[in-house]
Amino acid sequence: MLKRLRDSGHVAYFAGGCVRDSLLGLEAKDWDVATDAPPDRVRQLFKLSQAVGAAFGVILVKSGRSQVEVATFRSDGVYEDGRHPSSVRFTSAEEDARRRDFTINGLFLDPIEDRVIDFVGGRDDLNAKILRAIGSPAERFTEDHLRLLRAVRFASRFGFEIEPVTREAIFALAPRIKSISPERIADELRLMLTPTTRNIAWTLLWELGLGREIFRFLPKPPERMDAQRSIFLNVDVEHSISFGLALAAAILDARGQPDIVPLLTRDEVSKSAAAMVQALRISNREYDEITETLAGIEPLLQANPPTLAQKKRFLARETTLQSRLIMDAMARIGIHSTRIQQLRADWSELSAGDFAPAPLLSGNDLIALGIKPGPQYKQILDGVYDAQLENKIASREQAIELAMTLRTA
Ligand code: ATP
Ligand code: MG
């Protein structure tokens, strides 16, 4: 692809993220091409192409099984809405590098001559592990507020320090993040708060003043995040986590401690998760994951220890793993740690056996028994299943007998 552009007399380089990633020795997600060929010319040269961002001069070119974005070198005009330039102008490679957000994202690679073209000092910053805005940080973040979050995402993903002036500008402009659409904010959070580098992102979000802007809908967002008290920061980081789990931990962190049980009631949990939907337009599946993860914990941390049935029911939940990761984090910072340690021991024993046996009785059985249908069906079936889980009954006959004593009509 690059070669065809070259052979037709154009300048063409790999640009942006792919150059950064390959210099870091990482696998690049997608190989974007930047060229001096205007969009029309690109479309002429590549029959299998599609104008995706015509206004920005971006053409999607089919190459084998994949697609490559070919973008004409451009410089962006004035930004009016804190997100999009009102116009673009096609220009030189150097100007194209300068319109990009961070120096490490402003590199070009000429794979034919095996040469990195660096107009912005990106290579030095890559080597020194520094994230630095190109040009005047304050101006760059004022133009496009999404860059405030991109900074946190890249700094955390690569473990880079944010250069002090860039950092100051983010802190000063953090309130502007509110003008970015909830979906875009959620997309960035999803990328930074799920991988194993998420703790750096969580810490940076609060240090830089972005956390309390983004999570301002929660009653008491703290000023900073303290590793001794943060549940989020104490979730095991060996693996990446789902966004739902990340937000569940976020809710607990942002709502303060130590009296955590009242925050875990289904009511409270639904309120916070609904606020997350409002603020971040998260999916229904993510909403459910948050509520199930947190509500599943509540019965286990009451003053009275949970019953055998409650412990088994917990193990059979879809969000057991998520709830356990949160509880492990709680125990680590001394919230309900004795109880949680006991539960861990109980669960390892229970998991060896059948903690979710097929119910001895079903709704059809109740009909056959002539019990009047209604809300009491659930109560009876729950009661019978609890007895089964408690090993108090073991046969269908015993289950029927119990159902008859539990019925009210
Ligand atoms: P990732 O690996 O996460 O895709 P990336 O660096 O490729 O990271 P993209 O969002 O795919 O990021 O954008 C590609 C390139 O376009 C970036 O490397 C950067 O040079 C430029 N870019 C993207 N978004 C912006 C922005 N908001 N402001 C300035 N430049 C941007
Ligand atoms: Mg990319």
Coordinates of all heavy atoms in Angstrom, one line a residue, residues 289-319:
E289 N -24.4 -6.0 35.6 CA -23.2 -6.5 36.3 C -22.9 -5.7 37.5 O -22.5 -6.3 38.6 CB -22.0 -6.5 35.3 CG -20.8 -7.3 35.9 CD -19.6 -7.3 34.9 OE1 -19.6 -6.6 33.9 OE2 -18.6 -8.0 35.3
I290 N -23.0 -4.4 37.5 CA -22.7 -3.6 38.7 C -23.7 -3.9 39.8 O -23.3 -4.2 40.9 CB -22.9 -2.1 38.3 CG1 -21.9 -1.6 37.3 CG2 -22.8 -1.2 39.6 CD1 -22.1 -0.2 36.8
T291 N -25.0 -4.0 39.5 CA -26.0 -4.2 40.5 C -25.8 -5.6 41.1 O -25.9 -5.8 42.3 CB -27.4 -4.0 40.0 OG1 -27.6 -4.8 38.9 CG2 -27.7 -2.5 39.7
E292 N -25.7 -6.6 40.2 CA -25.5 -8.0 40.7 C -24.3 -8.2 41.6 O -24.3 -8.9 42.6 CB -25.6 -9.0 39.6 CG -26.9 -9.0 38.9 CD -28.1 -9.3 39.8 OE1 -28.0 -10.3 40.6 OE2 -29.0 -8.6 39.9
T293 N -23.2 -7.6 41.1 CA -21.9 -7.7 41.8 C -22.0 -7.2 43.2 O -21.6 -7.8 44.2 CB -20.8 -7.0 41.0 OG1 -20.6 -7.6 39.8 CG2 -19.5 -7.0 41.8
L294 N -22.6 -6.0 43.3 CA -22.7 -5.4 44.7 C -23.8 -6.0 45.5 O -23.6 -6.3 46.7 CB -22.8 -3.9 44.5 CG -21.6 -3.1 43.9 CD1 -21.9 -1.7 43.7 CD2 -20.3 -3.4 44.7
A295 N -24.9 -6.2 45.0 CA -26.1 -6.7 45.8 C -25.8 -8.1 46.2 O -26.3 -8.5 47.3 CB -27.4 -6.6 45.0
G296 N -25.0 -8.8 45.5 CA -24.6 -10.2 45.9 C -23.8 -10.2 47.2 O -23.8 -11.2 48.0
I297 N -23.1 -9.2 47.5 CA -22.2 -9.1 48.7 C -23.0 -8.8 49.9 O -22.7 -9.3 51.0 CB -21.2 -8.0 48.5 CG1 -20.3 -8.3 47.2 CG2 -20.3 -7.9 49.7 CD1 -19.3 -7.2 46.9
E298 N -24.1 -8.0 49.8 CA -24.8 -7.5 51.0 C -25.2 -8.5 52.0 O -24.9 -8.4 53.2 CB -26.0 -6.6 50.5 CG -26.4 -5.7 51.6 CD -27.9 -5.9 51.9 OE1 -28.5 -6.8 51.4 OE2 -28.3 -5.1 52.7
P299 N -25.9 -9.6 51.6 CA -26.3 -10.6 52.7 C -25.2 -11.2 53.4 O -25.4 -11.8 54.5 CB -27.1 -11.6 51.9 CG -27.0 -11.3 50.4 CD -26.3 -10.0 50.3
L300 N -24.0 -11.2 52.8 CA -22.9 -11.9 53.5 C -22.2 -11.1 54.6 O -21.5 -11.6 55.4 CB -21.8 -12.2 52.4 CG -22.4 -13.0 51.2 CD1 -21.3 -13.1 50.1 CD2 -22.9 -14.4 51.6
L301 N -22.5 -9.8 54.6 CA -21.7 -8.9 55.5 C -22.6 -8.4 56.6 O -22.2 -7.4 57.3 CB -21.1 -7.8 54.8 CG -20.1 -8.2 53.7 CD1 -19.4 -6.9 53.0 CD2 -19.0 -9.1 54.2
Q302 N -23.8 -8.9 56.8 CA -24.7 -8.5 57.9 C -24.1 -8.9 59.2 O -23.2 -9.8 59.3 CB -26.1 -9.2 57.7 CG -26.8 -8.8 56.4 CD -27.1 -7.3 56.3 OE1 -27.3 -6.7 57.3 NE2 -27.0 -6.8 55.1
A303 N -24.6 -8.3 60.3 CA -24.1 -8.7 61.6 C -24.2 -10.2 61.9 O -23.3 -10.8 62.4 CB -24.9 -7.9 62.7
N304 N -25.4 -10.8 61.5 CA -25.5 -12.3 61.6 C -24.8 -12.9 60.4 O -25.0 -12.6 59.3 CB -26.9 -12.7 61.6 CG -27.6 -12.3 62.9 OD1 -27.0 -12.3 64.0 ND2 -28.9 -12.0 62.8
P305 N -23.9 -13.9 60.7 CA -23.3 -14.6 59.6 C -24.3 -15.2 58.7 O -25.4 -15.6 59.1 CB -22.5 -15.7 60.3 CG -22.4 -15.3 61.8 CD -23.6 -14.5 62.1
P306 N -23.9 -15.3 57.4 CA -24.9 -15.9 56.4 C -25.1 -17.4 56.7 O -24.3 -18.1 57.3 CB -24.2 -15.7 55.1 CG -22.7 -15.5 55.4 CD -22.7 -14.9 56.8
T307 N -26.3 -17.8 56.3 CA -26.6 -19.3 56.4 C -25.9 -20.1 55.4 O -25.4 -19.5 54.4 CB -28.1 -19.5 56.3 OG1 -28.5 -19.1 54.9 CG2 -28.9 -18.7 57.3
L308 N -25.9 -21.4 55.6 CA -25.3 -22.3 54.6 C -26.0 -22.1 53.2 O -25.3 -22.0 52.2 CB -25.5 -23.7 55.0 CG -24.9 -24.8 54.1 CD1 -23.4 -24.6 53.9 CD2 -25.2 -26.2 54.7
A309 N -27.3 -21.9 53.2 CA -28.1 -21.7 52.0 C -27.6 -20.4 51.3 O -27.4 -20.4 50.1 CB -29.6 -21.7 52.2
Q310 N -27.4 -19.3 52.1 CA -27.0 -18.1 51.5 C -25.6 -18.2 50.9 O -25.3 -17.7 49.8 CB -27.0 -17.0 52.6 CG -28.4 -16.4 52.8 CD -28.4 -15.4 54.0 OE1 -27.7 -15.7 55.0 NE2 -29.0 -14.3 53.8
K311 N -24.7 -19.0 51.6 CA -23.4 -19.1 51.0 C -23.4 -19.9 49.7 O -22.7 -19.6 48.8 CB -22.5 -19.8 52.1 CG -22.1 -18.9 53.2 CD -21.1 -19.5 54.2 CE -21.9 -20.2 55.3 NZ -21.0 -20.5 56.5
K312 N -24.2 -21.0 49.7 CA -24.3 -21.8 48.4 C -24.9 -20.9 47.3 O -24.5 -21.0 46.2 CB -25.1 -23.0 48.7 CG -24.4 -24.1 49.5 CD -25.2 -25.4 49.6 CE -24.5 -26.5 50.3 NZ -25.4 -27.6 50.5
R313 N -26.0 -20.2 47.7 CA -26.6 -19.4 46.6 C -25.7 -18.4 46.0 O -25.7 -18.1 44.9 CB -27.9 -18.7 47.2 CG -29.1 -19.5 47.3 CD -30.2 -18.7 48.0 NE -31.4 -19.4 48.2 CZ -32.4 -19.6 47.3 NH1 -32.3 -19.0 46.1 NH2 -33.5 -20.3 47.7
F314 N -24.8 -17.9 46.9 CA -23.8 -16.9 46.4 C -22.9 -17.5 45.4 O -22.6 -16.9 44.3 CB -23.0 -16.3 47.6 CG -21.9 -15.4 47.1 CD1 -22.1 -14.1 46.8 CD2 -20.6 -15.9 47.0 CE1 -21.1 -13.3 46.4 CE2 -19.6 -15.1 46.6 CZ -19.8 -13.8 46.2
L315 N -22.5 -18.7 45.7 CA -21.5 -19.4 44.8 C -22.1 -19.7 43.4 O -21.4 -19.8 42.4 CB -21.0 -20.7 45.4 CG -20.0 -20.6 46.5 CD1 -19.6 -22.0 46.9 CD2 -18.7 -19.9 46.0
A316 N -23.5 -19.7 43.4 CA -24.1 -20.1 42.1 C -24.5 -18.8 41.3 O -25.0 -18.9 40.2 CB -25.4 -20.9 42.4
R317 N -24.2 -17.7 41.8 CA -24.5 -16.4 41.1 C -23.6 -16.2 39.8 O -22.5 -16.7 39.8 CB -24.4 -15.2 42.0 CG -25.4 -15.2 43.1 CD -25.1 -14.1 44.1 NE -25.2 -12.7 43.5 CZ -26.3 -12.1 43.4 NH1 -27.4 -12.6 44.0 NH2 -26.4 -10.9 42.9
E318 N -24.1 -15.5 38.9 CA -23.4 -15.2 37.7 C -22.2 -14.3 38.0 O -21.2 -14.3 37.3 CB -24.3 -14.6 36.6 CG -24.2 -15.3 35.3 CD -25.3 -14.6 34.4 OE1 -26.5 -15.0 34.5 OE2 -24.9 -13.8 33.6
T319 N -22.3 -13.5 39.0 CA -21.3 -12.5 39.3 C -20.5 -12.8 40.5 O -19.9 -11.9 41.2 CB -22.0 -11.1 39.5 OG1 -23.1 -11.2 40.4 CG2 -22.4 -10.5 38.2

